[in-house]
Amino acid sequence: MSVLPRGMTVRRDAGLYGYERALRRAGLEPIAGVDEAGRGACAGPLVAAAAILPEGRRGIVPGLADSKLLTAKARDRCYEEVLDRALAWAVVVIDSEECDRLGMHVANVEALRRALARLEVRPSYVLTDGFPVDGLEVPGLAVWKGDRVAACMSAASVVAKVTRDRIMTRMHDTYPAYDFVTHKGYVTASHSAALEAHGPCAIHRRRFVNVRRVARARGEVVPGYRDVVGDDGADVWADGWAESSEPWSVDESMEVGQ
């Protein structure tokens, strides 16, 4: 269910903690936020996190914001603050093989559900980023760009991204040819060049057409996918669903967000 309680509104200028304050006034708490990192990457896991912040001053996390808007050092500081201050938090990691098996949307929804289910404190209300998540057994609301306007979602965003970035840094030690420490598995020009030069490794997601194309060119059998070419020349799935494989327009010296 994706609705605000009847009669409740949240002002646009209410700030990062406005949603939680309004929901508490309506008698709804604890309030959990949930978010993911890595959905758009063509390598590595999908990571989801859930977080419940306490009411009052202890629930105000210094420097908290959407993880994509923070530097790596600022994210690390917020990560430690969130873990110290949260009433409850949880992380779920979905590896690349399970992402391939489920598909990215299903994997994303499943990861969010699992993260919420692992919270040691049961929430009374859940805020999700961008789209509703069914089957949570508690009321909730999908908020557009929620990790920028609700503190509990910003906290979950930071926990998910820091967790995933650390995993990808470790993966760089195992697969140094791909430079995962820089792009974290997202589709950038340098990652695409490494993929073409070395072929996909074990943590590349075969659901992504750029990975599958290179794998097949190297003789790897990738069953279960029937690629076709659309009117614009881009690879798409025969059933009409496509996983992005185009390089993002980013400065290669910058860290890529989730």
Side-chain angles (χ1 to χ4, degrees):
M1 186 176 183
S2 183
V3 294
L4 281 169
R6 179 174 295 180
M8 191 190 113
T9 59
V10 180
R11 293 174 49 177
R12 291 185 179 182
D13 60 352
L16 192 62
Y17 296 86
Y19 273 92
E20 283 97 328
R21 284 196 298 266
L23 289 166
R24 288 187 180 108
R25 286 197 298 269
L28 292 167
E29 62 177 325
I31 304 152
V34 64
D35 201 10
E36 54 76 28
R39 181 177 181 178
C42 71
L46 175 72
V47 176
I52 299 174
L53 297 175
E55 187 176 5
R57 293 181 62 183
R58 181 159 180 79
I60 299 176
V61 180
L64 183 63
D66 173 12
S67 65
K68 296 184 290 297
L69 303 179
L70 299 172
T71 65
K73 288 184 179 180
R75 275 197 302 271
D76 285 342
R77 288 194 297 269
C78 281
Y79 174 87
E80 298 299 334
E81 290 280 358
V82 169
L83 267 54
D84 178 60
R85 293 167 180 265
L87 288 177
W89 61 274
V91 175
V92 168
V93 178
I94 307 290
D95 65 28
S96 56
E97 289 185 359
E98 189 170 4
C99 288
D100 280 346
R101 180 175 63 83
L102 295 175
M104 291 312 303
H105 178 70
V106 174
N108 191 42
V109 171
E110 181 64 20
L112 298 175
R113 286 175 181 158
R114 292 183 196 177
L116 286 163
R118 289 187 181 182
L119 288 171
E120 293 183 355
V121 176
R122 179 178 172 84
S124 295
Y125 202 86
V126 175
L127 296 175
T128 60
D129 185 22
F131 61 89
V133 178
D134 295 329
L136 299 182
E137 299 182 352
V138 293
L141 178 71
V143 182
W144 177 246
K145 294 189 180 296
D147 48 7
R148 300 188 182 189
V149 298
C152 56
M153 276 191 283
S154 295
S157 171
V158 166
V159 172
K161 181 155 179 60
V162 170
T163 299
R164 188 178 187 278
D165 283 357
R166 291 177 179 180
I167 291 171
M168 295 308 293
T169 297
R170 293 198 297 270
M171 290 298 99
H172 174 77
D173 294 336
T174 305
Y175 305 103
Y178 301 93
D179 193 27
F180 289 135
V181 72
T182 299
H183 52 67
K184 307 302 189 294
Y186 290 90
V187 184
T188 65
S190 65
H191 186 188
S192 297
L195 182 61
E196 291 284 349
H198 305 287
C201 69
I203 67 168
H204 277 99
R205 300 175 185 170
R206 269 60 178 178
R207 270 192 180 263
F208 280 70
V209 291
N210 59 325
V211 175
R212 200 156 62 248
R213 186 190 309 122
V214 174
R216 285 179 170 160
R218 289 172 167 261
E220 179 181 332
V221 176
V222 187
Y225 305 103
R226 295 175 298 156
D227 301 335
V228 296
V229 178
D231 294 337
D232 60 355
D235 288 329
V236 298
W237 291 26
D239 63 2
W241 183 266
E243 302 286 5
S244 172
S245 65
E246 294 303 314
W248 291 4
S249 178
V250 297
D251 181 343
E252 285 281 294
S253 65
M254 297 175 63
E255 191 167 38
V256 182
Q258 64 176 345

